[in-house]
Amino acid sequence: MTDAQDTAAEPALRTTGGAPPDDVEPAPIPLLEPREGIPPVIATDEALAEVIAAFAAGTGPVAVDAERASGYRYGQRAYLVQLRRAGAGTALIDPVGCPDLSGLGEVLADTEWILHAATQDLPCLREIGMIPTRLFDTELAGRLAGFPRVGLGAMVENVLGYALEKGHSAVDWSTRPLPEPWLRYAALDVELLVDLRDALEKELDRQGKLEWAHEEFDAIASAPPAPPRKDPWRRTSGMHKVRRRRQMAVVRELWTTRDKVAQRRDVSPGKVLSDNAIVEAALALPANVHALTALPGFGHRMGRRQLEQWQAAIDRAKELPDGELPQPGQPFSGPPPPRSWADKDPEAAARLSAARAAVSALAERLSMPQENLITPDTVRRVCWEPPHERTVESVEAALTAHGARAWQVEQVAPLLTRALSASAST
């Protein structure tokens, strides 16, 4: 990497020779190959004990990845865990055969874990006893460093000059036995994570953002598990079409019934009944199974027993007393949607407009997405209920209270103070 430059510098790409002259064909990007071949899948306690010993004796950070069966199975459990560490090589572990990996998590407790898009994998890793205390997120590092494409394949290609195999990210990882091409794909996901981490650390240091990244990583590692979502049925796709409370009750009852069936059968809820079918039934309020059959999603392929199950759910919702019907909209704390600010509080709308413009300009100068500089929700909350005193210190306190990290407070507080003060004086 080059010597330190200002934080607006473009990210440094792979150092494999630079751009070729116009009349020279660029060299093909080599396809990454597993250095030690594809390791066997660990599915017994005896084999797991050997892996634990090997990784305990390894050195340096550990690359970690997990594969789920989203869209195929109920929930977000892990169906394959991949690890790689110097001195231990690569391990592929089957959490179905080895559902408790807390022993592995314990020997790696003081080790830095390298993950790509850590927040996606940490919940399923936590379920099987693997909880890091320190981590490095290569996707988030790429965002902070200003890379326009931060998928693992793009990062490995742009930073390290290798192409990853594609095509197996969305397969059903609950399949047993797992096909060899899938295992090869999974092993390669951790093959270069340590190398990618080292290169990104140098790039972040070059841009003066390394401490910012460490604060972000620490926040991810120390964050508690997310609480259960309140009224998850309200997130049914197409819910905006449902206006009446009785119809909303049908959505709730069908969603709840579908969720119980999906959990019992261990399949994705969408494979039991589509969101579109739920919304169509709520809008139509069918009187009987015959009427239900005519709706999209309840056609001839659905058996009589299933149709009766859905109609019974609809009938339960139709029979609810008015006092038990759901209320429109979700209860929420915090400011209203920004589109209504101009009518509710024109001064707050002016503050938000000024703040958004300032944050956007700073994010562009720092070469990072606005949402990584400061979350839009935090900006909205400060603009809707600004501190009584429009000082940098009071804005810093407000940002901190809303969960902003120290580096974010340092960067954003002065410009938000100016935006709030400017709008207050107009």
Side-chain angles (χ1 to χ4, degrees), residues 67-79 96 123-124 127 171-175 228-229 232-233 254-273 275 310:
E67 305 295 348
R68 299 176 298 279
S70 304
Y72 297 94
R73 296 288 182 173
Y74 185 86
Q76 294 294 315
R77 65 170 293 184
Y79 282 94
V96 178
C124 70
E127 288 182 0
V171 299
D172 181 3
W173 287 95
S174 68
T175 301
R229 191 182 297 277
W233 59 270
L254 284 173
W255 189 98
T256 302
T257 301
R258 179 184 70 173
D259 195 65
K260 291 177 180 176
V261 172
Q263 187 170 13
R264 185 178 71 247
R265 291 169 49 190
D266 190 18
V267 296
S268 169
K271 289 188 176 295
V272 175
L273 188 69
D275 280 10
W310 304 127

Side-chain angles (χ1 to χ4, degrees), residues 14 20 25-30:
R14 66 179 188 270
E25 286 289 330
I29 298 174

Side-chain angles (χ1 to χ4, degrees), residues 272-303:
V272 175
L273 188 69
S274 70
D275 280 10
N276 181 64
I278 290 177
V279 170
E280 290 292 337
L283 296 176
L285 296 176
N288 49 47
V289 168
H290 179 73
L292 179 65
T293 307
L295 298 178
F298 298 93
H300 64 279
R301 295 183 180 180
M302 189 171 289

Side-chain angles (χ1 to χ4, degrees), residues 176-200:
R176 292 296 182 275
L178 286 165
E180 183 173 312
W182 299 12
L183 296 175
R184 174 188 175 88
Y185 167 90
L188 289 174
D189 272 357
V190 292
E191 183 83 13
L192 292 181
L193 270 185
V194 175
D195 304 75
L196 182 60
R197 172 237 181 272
D198 291 345
L200 288 172

